[in-house]
C-alpha cells in the first residue's frame, strides 16, 4: 500500500542478489521475470486480492510493528479466501477475532521478526503436503464463515424493529 516505496524496495531486492520487477511493468516483462525468478513488487493499488491467487504463501505486512490502524483484516481474509498459508506479525489487535479464527484452523501463523518470517516461509515452501493441507483448511474456514455481513444486517434490522 506504500507504492511510493517501490523504488526503495527494489533496491533492497537487488542488494539481496535478486531480480526486482514492478507489477506495473507486467505483462510486458512477464517472460523475462519468469526466466530470472523475479521478485514482483506491487506498485499498484486495488489488486492485492487478485494477486494472492498467484502467491504460494502470503505475508500480511503492517503487523510486525506497532503502527495502529492497519488494514490487516482485509488482507488476512483475502489471502485465506484464496487458499493461501498466511503469516502475520503480532500486532493485529484490530482484527484479533479473525486472526484467532484463522490461526485456530491452522491457516495463519504468527511471526515476530524477519528471522521467524524467513523460517516459516522456507518451511512452507519446502513442505508441499503441509502447504496443501493449509490451503484446504484456509478455503474451508473462509467458506464456513461466509455471510457475516448479511447476518449482521439482519440483526441490526431486527433491533430497529423492536
Amino acid at each position: 500500500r506504500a507504492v511510493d516505496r517501490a523504488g526503495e524496495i527494489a533496491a533492497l531486492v537487488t542488494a539481496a542478489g535478486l531480480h526486482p520487477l514492478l507489477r506495473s511493468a507486467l505483462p510486458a516483462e512477464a517472460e523475462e521475470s519468469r526466466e530470472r525468478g523475479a521478485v514482483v513488487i506491487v506498485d499498484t493499488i486495488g489488486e492485492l486480492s487478485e494477486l494472492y491467487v498467484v502467491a504460494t504463501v502470503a505475508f500480511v505486512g503492517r503487523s510486525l510493528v506497532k503502527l495502529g490502524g492497519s488494514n490487516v483484516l482485509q488482507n488476512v481474509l483475502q489471502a485465506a479466501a484464496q487458499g493461501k498459508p498466511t503469516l502475520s506479525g503480532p500486532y493485529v489487535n484490530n482484527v484479533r477475532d479473525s486472526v484467532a479464527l484463522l490461526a485456530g484452523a491452522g491457516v495463519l501463523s504468527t511471526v515476530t521478526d524477519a528471522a521467524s518470517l524467513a523460517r516459516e516461509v522456507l518451511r512452507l515452501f519446502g513442505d508441499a503436503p503441509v502447504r496443501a493441507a493449509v490451503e484446504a483448511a484456509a478455503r474451508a474456514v473462509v467458506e464456513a464463515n461466509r455471510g457475516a455481513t448479511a447476518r449482521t444486517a439482519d440483526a441490526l434490522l431486527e433491533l430497529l424493529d423492536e
Side-chain angles (χ1 to χ4, degrees):
R1 297 193 187 277
V3 296
D4 57 320
R5 293 190 58 217
E8 174 188 346
I9 295 166
L12 292 169
V13 169
T14 300
L18 302 169
H19 176 68
L21 176 69
L22 297 179
R23 162 61 189 99
S24 59
L26 292 172
E29 297 182 29
E31 190 57 40
E32 180 185 347
S33 71
R34 282 189 204 98
E35 291 170 9
R36 297 181 76 180
V39 173
V40 177
I41 300 164
V42 180
D43 64 337
T44 56
I45 297 289
E47 296 184 300
L48 194 54
S49 65
E50 295 159 7
L51 291 172
Y52 281 130
V53 172
V54 297
T56 302
V57 174
F59 169 65
V60 179
R62 295 187 60 116
S63 61
L64 274 179
V65 294
K66 202 178 242 184
L67 292 174
S70 67
N71 195 18
V72 174
L73 172 63
Q74 180 181 7
N75 297 336
V76 168
L77 294 176
Q78 286 174 341
Q82 296 296 337
K84 303 306 172 180
T86 305
L87 310 174
S88 79
Y91 296 102
V92 293
N93 288 342
N94 58 332
V95 293
R96 276 186 302 247
D97 293 342
S98 294
V99 167
L101 175 72
L102 296 174
V107 172
L108 182 138
S109 298
T110 300
V111 295
T112 57
D113 54 26
S116 64
L117 173 60
R119 278 192 304 273
E120 189 63 11
V121 167
L122 290 173
R123 181 184 76 81
L124 288 164
F125 267 76
D127 195 335
V130 165
R131 202 172 56 247
V134 172
E135 289 168 357
R139 287 187 182 97
V141 74
V142 170
E143 188 59 37
N145 287 280
R146 287 199 187 279
T149 302
R151 289 191 301 275
T152 301
D154 289 346
L156 289 172
L157 290 172
E158 196 172 296
L159 285 172
L160 290 173
D161 287 341
E162 290 181 3

